[in-house]
């Protein structure tokens, strides 16, 4: 305790203990050190053994080389400065804007009024209608705008849903491990219980329903009131996608135990192998076959503009759709979101553009398609390069959450520094190569296993080679 | 309980009770009904006794007639679509952009990279430096960028600070009544205690330090651990500004009782009579005179782009500055904000533009000044019109949180509908005139007093006449 602490209202010992408990490794000490290295390099420092920091700790495509989609940003420029719409000829003939850009901007302005005005609490009605049409086309089932809530990124949607679900310190939520640490951090803040179920590394990090059932039973036996299950599909950090059978098994289990299904589907367009199946489409198919049995399944599915080919993290946009929720509960959700007034309106507009991009035959379509496909194949190429690199690494498994098996000497060295072994490894990796990853412990991992998570957004693949070279040297040092 | 409830995980009876308890009248049932009227009118319905809904329940200037400031929005348009910067001659000669608009956009892009990328958790470093310079010029005392946290509007800053402060159900926070309901709602959600201190209506809703002391002592006697005091200066909903003496008295009390001072200063430019004094400037002056006594005062002061002449609510931008906080506590605040990744980056850029607008002699200055002054005098004119109107109303007091004294018959009629009398009045006002205000009970008021709160942002002053006419008729009906 510092000498002055007793003179203040707040000290580390008397603030909200749940804030203290919350862990968020994606932007923790390692990330802070990488920012220091970045600042050093920017000042022309040449002491470091690398000349570039690679932020593979967080999916932030536009900080790296991913260019925004032209159609999206042209529309946004008009929304920010509507007087440009009075100069259509300049836009069309001198600035390369197409007529569909202008038409969309006019429509969005009519819908939101001004992007500087608060929208309705759950989002601008016209934009929610667009999202509903997108969901209908994606799933082949109706969607109702009143069940759609626009949010400031998916994080804010998760925060809303967990706030409503977590009724007491006994409330438990099933969360896949490894997971994106938002879920564990939010549950800590809400003083509720994270009920971990382990994904199966031997089956490409698949969701094993038996593991879910086991985790549920163990929690219930310990007195936990398990109320919901989180699925990250496709998975973060593992990249695995759920099959229709897996999804059905989860829904069956949710019916049996009356669990809210929270389907985090923000990576729905990042599928490089196999196919994405939405929880909603599988649920509606089941309901078609047996309406009575499935009619009360509570599903919340989340999406975001931060991921995929859109990659607009900084704009903080997203939405969630509710199916089967009690109307009285939905009223409370509405009240909760209204306390923070509304999601950023320009982010809401980007949600609209994401779900309703240019269509074949429209003036902006060709460029849109070209940019979209270019980003997709770039991501695919880097995913493959990392996959291949990790396969070659001593003790390394595949996937972008690779296992590392560290020698005993390294584990002891880590202990001496007061760090978990994978954390120790990640710090050494950063110091040696400038590549910032996240230690597996930040995402959760089975006991006695070690991993790290890396994104594959950084430009080029040269830095992947830096990782394998470091790994070799590290293993030799501690052998 | 609905028939199906028992089949679901979530019902109104088993969700988070603190979400249920939270009240947020600004966007409650009355606001929902006003939106229904607005939709009816938009569809051409002529059944209603008015042809326009006036949203005087929420400060949302750009939903009404307030135009955004040209300089701000021109810069934002370039941030959203940077390729425009390659066409400088078109921007300058055909679209009316000035060279300082272009220079600022280039600088901001250099600072944030892309507005589609996450920034550092507490905000882009260059923007925090701009805010620090603004604070130094405003207050005449140094400001450190590391103590500045950019947030998604002031609401999100309040949420962060209260999250850290509220350690247990015994934690209490002194909140002025009447107040903006964000504070009471957030304290409900955090299961902490709101310790109300009443503003003095007879002294223009001034802050009476004796009322603060009384409220504190009463709470402590009841076992509450009072940790912080909120000041809204200038006041919402009352419009009152604190004098330097008042601020000094609050700081003295905070020193004596070791309270965090939360100064909500979002209305700092909305002062039509008197002068705004920042808590920081008064604190630093006190510290200059007696460093030892005041060195550990913990002050958090908040600002926002939503209010004043900026009025950019939909962009969700703001910041808070911390003075005198324990570094270990600041680390926890950093971790907490990092869980939601970062504030919207385009909103961060608007914060920069707000604190660093065009200066005399710069190309955009003249237009900026003209627009800024025009908005200011429009607000002033409407504030005066409402002030005069409420003075004339039977039983009405002045200020924009006018007292209403309702006849016994009206109070009984309200009771029959299961509503508070001021709520009953506000619904009747909406139904008769289309003007949506907020009942005083939504902001808190002394027992046996009734008020309503209205903003003065709606265009024109004709609707003010509608209120006075309604009031006359209402009083006659229930006399």
């Amino acid at each position: 305790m510092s000498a002055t602490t007793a003179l203040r209202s707040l000290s580390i010992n008397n603030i909200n203990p749940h804030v203290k408990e919350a862990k968020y490794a994606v932007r923790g000490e390692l990330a802070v050190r990488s920012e220091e290295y970045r600042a050093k390099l920017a000042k022309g420092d040449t002491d470091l053994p690398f000349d570039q920091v690679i932020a593979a700790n967080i999916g932030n495509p536009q900080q790296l080389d991913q260019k925004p989609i032209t159609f999206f940003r042209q529309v946004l420029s008009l929304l920010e400065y509507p007087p440009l719409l009075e100069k259509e000829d300049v836009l069309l003939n001198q600035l390369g804007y197409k007529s569909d850009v202008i038409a969309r901007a006019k429509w969005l302005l009519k819908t939101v009024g001004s992007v500087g005005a608060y929208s309705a609490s759950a989002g601008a009605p016209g934009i929610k209608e667009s999202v509903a049409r997108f969901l209908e086309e994606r799933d082949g089932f109706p969607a109702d705008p009143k069940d759609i809530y626009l949010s400031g990124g998916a994080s804010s949607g998760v925060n809303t849903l967990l706030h409503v679900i977590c009724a007491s310190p006994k409330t438990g939520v099933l969360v896949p491990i490894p997971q994106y640490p938002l879920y564990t951090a939010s549950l800590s803040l809400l003083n509720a219980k994270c009920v971990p179920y382990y994904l199966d590394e031997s089956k490409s990090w698949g969701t094993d329903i038996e593991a879910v059932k086991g985790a549920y039973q163990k929690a219930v036996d310990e007195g936990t009131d398990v109320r919901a299950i989180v699925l990250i599909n496709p998975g973060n950090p593992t990249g695995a996608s759920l099959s229709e059978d897996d999804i059905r098994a989860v829904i069956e289990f949710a019916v049996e135990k009356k669990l809210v299904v929270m389907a985090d589907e923000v990576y729905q367009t990042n599928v490089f192998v196999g196919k994405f199946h939405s929880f909603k489409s599988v649920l509606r198919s089941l309901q078609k076959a047996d309406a009575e049995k499935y009619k009360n399944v509570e599903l919340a599915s989340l999406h975001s503009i931060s991921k995929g080919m859109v990659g607009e993290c900084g704009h903080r946009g997203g939405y969630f759709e509710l199916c089967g929720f009690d109307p009285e509960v939905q009223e409370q959700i509405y009240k909760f979101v209204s306390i923070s007034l509304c999601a950023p309106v320009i982010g809401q507009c980007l949600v609209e553009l994401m779900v309703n991009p240019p269509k074949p035959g429209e003036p902006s379509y060709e460029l849109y398609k070209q940019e979209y496909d270019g980003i997709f194949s770039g991501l695919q190429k880097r995913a493959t390069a990392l996959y291949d690199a990790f396969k070659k690494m001593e003790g390394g498994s595949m996937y972008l959450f690779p296992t590392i098996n560290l020698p005993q000497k390294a584990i002891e060295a880590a202990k001496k520094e007061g760090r978990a072994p994978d954390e120790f490894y990640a710090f050494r990796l950063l110091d040696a190569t400038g590549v910032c990853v996240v230690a597996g412990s930040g995402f959760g991992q089975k006991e006695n296993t070690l991993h790290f998570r890396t994104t594959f957004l950084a430009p080029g693949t040269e830095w992947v080679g830096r990782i394998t070279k470091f790994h070799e040297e590290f293993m030799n040092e501690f052998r």
Side-chain angles (χ1 to χ4, degrees), chain A:
Chain A
M1 199 190 287
S2 71
T4 58
T5 295
L7 299 170
R8 292 193 176 94
S9 170
L10 302 180
S11 80
I12 190 72
N13 300 310
N14 69 10
I15 60 166
N16 185 341
H18 310 305
V19 169
K20 248 167 82 181
E21 281 152 23
K23 287 193 177 56
Y24 197 69
V26 174
R27 293 200 149 191
E29 191 189 344
L30 193 71
V32 169
R33 189 186 291 182
S34 82
E35 288 300 326
E36 287 163 9
Y37 286 162
R38 188 191 301 278
K40 263 188 154 179
L41 290 172
K43 280 187 185 138
D45 201 308
T46 55
D47 285 357
L48 298 168
F50 44 85
D51 54 12
Q52 191 193 15
V53 169
I54 300 283
N57 56 318
I58 188 161
N60 196 5
Q62 293 188 23
Q63 190 194 39
L64 305 166
D65 77 334
Q66 188 169 312
K67 294 261 174 310
I69 301 243
T70 300
F71 176 78
F72 295 172
R73 293 302 200 89
Q74 285 180 332
V75 173
L76 297 190
S77 68
L78 299 177
L79 299 180
E80 287 294 4
Y81 191 51
L84 289 174
L85 289 165
E86 292 154 24
K87 309 267 184 174
E88 276 198 23
D89 58 319
V90 179
L91 294 173
L92 293 168
N93 303 321
Q94 294 181 262
L95 298 173
Y97 285 54
K98 308 279 188 199
S99 60
D100 52 349
V101 170
I102 294 170
R104 185 67 66 88
K106 285 183 178 167
W107 179 81
L108 278 167
L109 278 174
K110 216 180 125 205
T111 298
V112 302
S114 163
V115 294
Y118 293 125
S119 72
S121 303
I127 294 176
K128 297 204 293 180
E129 282 163 25
S130 254
V131 173
R133 279 193 298 273
F134 158 75
L135 293 170
E136 288 177 354
E137 277 167 41
R138 188 194 69 182
D139 297 331
F141 291 98
D144 188 333
K146 82 165 172 37
D147 297 323
I148 290 161
Y149 297 75
L150 295 171
S151 61
S155 326
S156 138
V158 167
N159 180 51
T160 297
L161 294 164
L162 291 181
H163 247 96
V164 172
I165 293 169
C166 294
S168 88
K170 278 183 178 307
T171 304
V173 175
L174 283 154
V175 173
I177 301 292
Q179 52 101 37
Y180 178 62
L182 169 67
Y183 290 94
T184 38
S186 304
L187 289 168
S188 287
L189 289 174
L190 287 160
N191 192 24
K193 285 202 168 49
C194 174
V195 180
Y197 65 92
Y198 289 94
L199 301 177
D200 189 350
E201 185 164 9
S202 71
K203 288 183 184 148
S204 312
W205 293 110
T207 298
D208 173 5
I209 192 72
E210 295 309 317
V212 171
K213 288 179 180 173
Y216 174 89
Q217 200 51 55
K218 181 164 172 279
V220 168
D221 292 346
E222 291 167 0
T224 301
D225 176 22
V226 183
R227 302 285 288 278
I229 177 169
V230 172
L231 290 302
I232 307 180
N233 179 43
N236 175 6
T238 64
S241 297
L242 291 179
S243 70
E244 280 188 89
D245 279 347
D246 287 343
I247 295 176
R248 266 192 291 268
V250 169
I251 294 176
E252 293 292 349
F253 186 67
V255 170
E256 190 189 325
K257 304 295 184 191
K258 277 195 274 163
L259 300 177
V260 175
V261 179
M262 278 179 70
D264 180 334
E265 301 179 329
V266 300
Y267 293 97
Q268 58 190 267
T269 59
N270 285 59
V271 178
F272 304 111
V273 186
K275 190 177 171 316
F276 165 72
H277 302 281
S278 76
F279 265 79
K280 167 114 181 264
S281 68
V282 176
L283 171 62
R284 293 295 190 232
S285 298
L286 287 170
Q287 286 171 333
K288 221 170 148 181
D290 187 345
E292 194 51 32
K293 177 172 177 192
Y294 297 102
K295 72 175 177 191
N296 291 308
V297 175
E298 293 149 277
L299 169 66
S301 48
L302 299 114
H303 197 13
S304 157
I305 58 172
S306 300
K307 316 297 175 193
M309 277 39 80
V310 183
E312 294 278 5
C313 318
H315 276 104
R316 319 300 293 117
Y319 71 84
F320 59 89
E321 184 194 19
L322 300 180
C323 299
F325 274 64
D326 187 306
E328 288 180 316
V329 173
Q330 262 184 257
E331 262 175 43
Q332 296 293 319
I333 292 173
Y334 173 86
K335 182 183 69 184
F336 182 85
V337 300
S338 76
I339 296 174
S340 21
L341 296 160
C342 70
V345 176
I346 201 91
Q348 295 186 31
C349 293
L350 252 172
V351 169
E352 205 283 329
L353 295 166
M354 171 178 77
V355 299
N356 185 21
K359 288 179 184 44
E362 292 175 358
S364 295
Y365 179 72
E366 206 174 322
L367 179 62
Y368 169 77
K369 177 91 170 78
Q370 185 191 317
E371 291 174 337
Y372 190 95
D373 292 350
I375 298 169
F376 186 87
S377 70
L379 290 173
Q380 195 165 33
K381 204 183 296 172
R382 272 169 276 158
T384 312
L386 277 171
Y387 176 101
D388 290 343
F390 296 150
K391 267 199 305 198
K392 277 183 229 134
M393 273 161 55
E394 184 183 347
S397 123
M398 44 201 200
Y399 299 99
L400 304 186
F401 192 69
T403 292
I404 40 179
N405 291 310
L406 299 185
Q408 192 54 36
K409 264 170 78 183
I411 293 170
E412 280 156 23
K415 214 174 174 180
K416 239 184 248 167
E417 287 192 11
R419 293 196 190 283
D422 53 351
E423 236 188 355
F424 175 75
Y425 178 90
F427 271 99
R428 292 287 294 250
L429 175 65
L430 173 64
D431 292 345
T433 66
V435 178
C436 183
V437 299
V438 185
S441 48
F443 286 83
Q445 53 197 350
K446 273 196 176 156
E447 245 179 277
N448 301 321
T449 72
L450 298 172
H451 302 80
F452 66 87
R453 196 228 21 193
T454 168
T455 66
F456 44 88
L457 296 162
T461 53
E462 175 275 332
W463 59 277
V464 178
R466 285 196 238 164
I467 300 179
T468 39
K469 184 163 164 285
F470 159 80
H471 186 72
E472 245 181 76
E473 290 166 2
F474 181 94
M475 295 301 275
N476 288 337
E477 181 181 346
F478 290 101
R479 201 175 302 275

